Amino acid sequence: RPLRPLRAFSAATSLRAGASSDSDLASSPSPSRRTVLVTGGAGYIGSHTCLELLSAGYDVVVVDALSNSSPDSLARVRALANLSDPGRLSLRACDVSDRAGLDAVLDEFSSVDGCVHFAGLKAVGESVAAPLRYYGTNVGGTSPYTVADDENTTWRTPRASRADS
C-alpha cells in the first residue's frame, strides 16, 4: 500500500499539516489533515510530540505496548489539545515487534503519511540487569517497524532517540 510522502520533522520548526516546504509552514492555512503514526506515543516524549502534532493540525495514531506508559497520558493530551473530534487521536495497544499487529494498525489507518518512532525501553539500571531484554526490545523490536517502513518506500520516517543516557 503506497503512502504519501511526509517531509522530515525538525525540532526547531513549527509544523502545519499539509505544508510542503519550510516556507509553506508560515503561510499555509488549514488544508486537509494528514496523519502521523507515533510509536511509543503514550510515553513522556511521545505524548508531548502527540500534543504538538495535534496542535499543528495533524491527526495522530499512537502505537504503544503500554509496558512503561499509560493511556492516561493520552487522555491528558486529548484534554490539553481540547479535541472536539475524538478520531483525531487514536491509540492501539501494540508492540512494534509484533509485525502482524503493526500491519493491522497500518491497514486500519491507511491514511498514515509518516511516522515518528519513540518505542523502546530506557531505564539504565534495568538495562544493565536485563541487557538481552533491552537488546531484544530496542534493536529486535525495531526491526519489524523498519521492515514495514521499508516496504512503504514513499513513507519518509524521521527517527529519534527516547533517552539521552
Side-chain angles (χ1 to χ4, degrees), residues 7-63:
R7 76 175 191 81
F9 292 110
S10 164
T13 304
S14 171
L15 300 174
R16 283 209 188 157
S20 59
S21 69
D22 287 341
S23 62
D24 289 343
L25 291 173
S27 62
S28 69
S30 183
S32 62
R33 288 196 305 245
R34 297 172 75 179
T35 303
V36 177
L37 177 75
V38 180
T39 66
Y44 182 80
I45 295 172
S47 62
H48 283 74
T49 301
C50 291
L51 180 59
E52 290 300 316
L53 288 166
L54 290 163
S55 297
Y58 288 88
D59 288 346
V60 177
V61 176
V62 172
V63 169

Side-chain angles (χ1 to χ4, degrees), residues 98-159:
D98 174 6
R99 177 62 196 270
L102 190 57
D103 282 344
V105 171
L106 292 173
D107 287 342
E108 180 183 357
F109 296 95
S110 59
S111 63
V112 168
D113 295 295
C115 179
V116 182
H117 179 48
F118 292 120
L121 300 173
K122 61 175 175 39
V124 174
E126 193 176 271
S127 70
V128 172
L132 292 178
R133 176 176 178 241
Y134 270 65
Y135 180 82
T137 299
N138 294 350
V139 177
T142 302
S143 296
Y145 160 76
T146 55
V147 168
D149 183 27
D150 255 3
E151 290 174 358
N152 294 287
T153 56
T154 61
W155 182 3
R156 293 177 47 204
T157 307
R159 290 181 171 80

Side-chain angles (χ1 to χ4, degrees), residues 72-84:
D72 295 343
S73 64
L74 296 178
R76 288 190 294 274
V77 166
R78 189 177 305 283
L80 288 168
N82 197 23
L83 293 181
S84 57

